[in-house]
Amino acid sequence: MTAIVNQLAFVDIDVVDLDAWAGFARDILGFGTVREGGVLDLRMDERPFRYRLRESTHDGLPTLGWQAPDEAAIELLGQRLTGRGLSFSPLDVTRLRDRGADAGLGFECRNGIRHEVVSGLKPGPAFEPAPAVSGFVTGSGGLGHVVWSIPDVAAMDELLLDVFGMDLREDIATPAGPGHFYGCNPRHHSLAVFCAPSLRLEHLMVEMGEIDDVGCAMDRAEDEGDILMQPLGRHRTDQMISFYVRSPSGFGMEVGCNGLLCGDDWEEVRDSSRKRPWGHGAAMRGHHKARPNASSATRKKDA
Ligand SMILES: [Fe+2]
């Protein structure tokens, strides 16, 4: 099956407190910030924005912006969505200009998450990270990853594996049901989901250039007050060394480094080459112990 998306390229989120977000993004995380009226763009690289935040009366859930290689992929995606009974709308000229894209479509998936898939994204002005930050790891791996609790993991499998053509990189068993980690480039996962009664955004992850960036960002978060959610630790799944901080919208931001890259031999090395997880506080002990769900861990897109 042809893969239609190759990275999580951007997110678009309604937020209540744009001023708080500007300070948080710039002073704690080290993003570049560009504000025009009620829109705040957060920059991590040469893209004009990786996060587009819109001032609103409520804190919303992110629209996920996926990158497709070309317009033909967008057309194929439309056919696949229609074939699965999922309705979509082509992005109009105004929205395409807003995204800096040539073509694209948008839809809400069966779990209630809004997705856009676009092609022809253009680079923006040169980017210099904040003085205290060596840089962010983006490139072909995209902006990082996003993790949700969702009610219907099977429906997400259908969308991401059968329609988008992504790989299932990890299938773990938790007391509430399966946790699935989906990848579409060497980054271990661009999206992960955990089974839960209702839809909830768990966190968005940004990867920094080196461990000192992460440590210094954690210091800045601690100095800010009561916003540190989980201390430093290493994940078993993507091996990321990271901490979690509460964003001004309430959801978590994971700030990490040294994330695992998955090659074509991932099926063989998955359970043999990873270091032991540690840290992240008591809440993560269960996740550290979670083991692959052997019944379906090998499902992946066709070659
Ligand atoms: Fe994460």
Side-chain angles (χ1 to χ4, degrees):
M1 177 180 290
T2 307
I4 284 179
V5 303
N6 53 31
Q7 67 168 265
L8 179 60
F10 64 87
V11 292
D12 185 311
I13 317 176
D14 286 345
V15 305
V16 170
D17 195 339
L18 214 56
D19 289 336
W21 261 104
F24 173 75
R26 183 187 59 236
D27 301 335
I28 306 251
L29 303 181
F31 283 124
T33 57
V34 181
R35 184 167 181 174
E36 272 193 43
V39 176
L40 175 69
D41 286 343
L42 307 185
R43 301 193 66 199
M44 304 170 70
D45 57 14
E46 77 287 350
R47 291 284 173 87
F49 64 93
R50 290 290 190 172
Y51 286 69
R52 176 155 280 183
L53 308 177
R54 300 174 191 277
E55 196 163 34
S56 173
T57 55
H58 68 283
D59 285 309
L61 295 175
T63 293
L64 305 184
W66 300 96
Q67 176 177 284
D70 50 37
E71 284 193 47
I74 304 286
E75 197 170 313
L76 177 60
L77 172 61
Q79 293 167 8
R80 286 189 189 171
L81 288 169
T82 300
R84 301 266 173 181
L86 286 160
S87 60
F88 65 90
S89 300
L91 301 186
D92 62 22
V93 172
T94 304
R95 179 50 64 96
L96 288 174
R97 193 179 303 128
D98 181 84
R99 302 315 194 199
D102 288 337
L105 58 77
F107 63 97
E108 186 175 302
C109 73
R110 292 196 165 106
N111 279 288
I113 299 168
R114 169 91 185 158
H115 302 261
E116 291 182 1
V117 183
V118 301
S119 65
L121 290 170
K122 321 277 188 312
F127 173 73
E128 281 287 329
V133 176
S134 74
F136 295 96
V137 179
T138 55
S140 63
L143 68 78
H145 68 232
V146 58
V147 177
W148 302 81
S149 291
I150 62 169
D152 191 342
V153 175
M156 192 59 80
D157 278 354
E158 180 187 31
L159 176 66
L160 296 193
L161 304 179
D162 301 335
V163 177
F164 282 6
M166 295 171 71
D167 289 333
L168 182 61
R169 294 266 168 77
E170 207 92 34
D171 175 6
I172 63 174
T174 78
H180 283 185
F181 295 68
Y182 311 94
C184 53
N185 53 50
R187 187 184 291 287
H188 178 273
H189 57 283
S190 293
L191 187 150
V193 297
F194 288 92
C195 191
S198 58
L199 178 67
R200 191 174 85 153
L201 173 65
E202 294 298 334
H203 67 265
L204 282 147
M205 188 284 294
V206 297
E207 185 171 0
M208 304 184 86
E210 51 193 55
I211 186 66
D212 289 339
D213 291 326
V214 176
C216 290
M218 193 169 77
D219 283 352
R220 295 193 294 271
E222 282 185 317
D223 290 344
E224 185 68 15
D226 186 28
I227 61 170
L228 201 63
M229 298 172 79
Q230 289 179 235
L232 211 58
R234 181 195 287 279
H235 283 297
R236 187 189 68 83
T237 51
D238 62 3
Q239 298 278 281
M240 190 80 72
I241 297 175
S242 63
F243 73 95
Y244 292 78
V245 60
R246 185 177 298 105
S247 74
S249 292
F251 61 78
M253 295 286 295
E254 181 182 8
V255 181
C257 68
N258 293 351
L260 186 68
L261 297 177
C262 302
D264 292 339
D265 60 349
W266 175 239
E267 292 287 312
E268 289 75 47
V269 304
R270 177 173 50 207
D271 298 317
S272 61
S273 66
R274 288 185 284 198
K275 295 178 181 172
R276 257 172 47 183
W278 50 267
H280 281 140
M284 285 299 290
R285 301 282 190 261
H287 280 284
H288 290 339
K289 288 180 187 143
R291 285 291 172 263
N293 182 352
S295 64
S296 55
T298 55
R299 183 181 178 189
K300 59 175 292 189
K301 71 179 175 64
D302 298 334

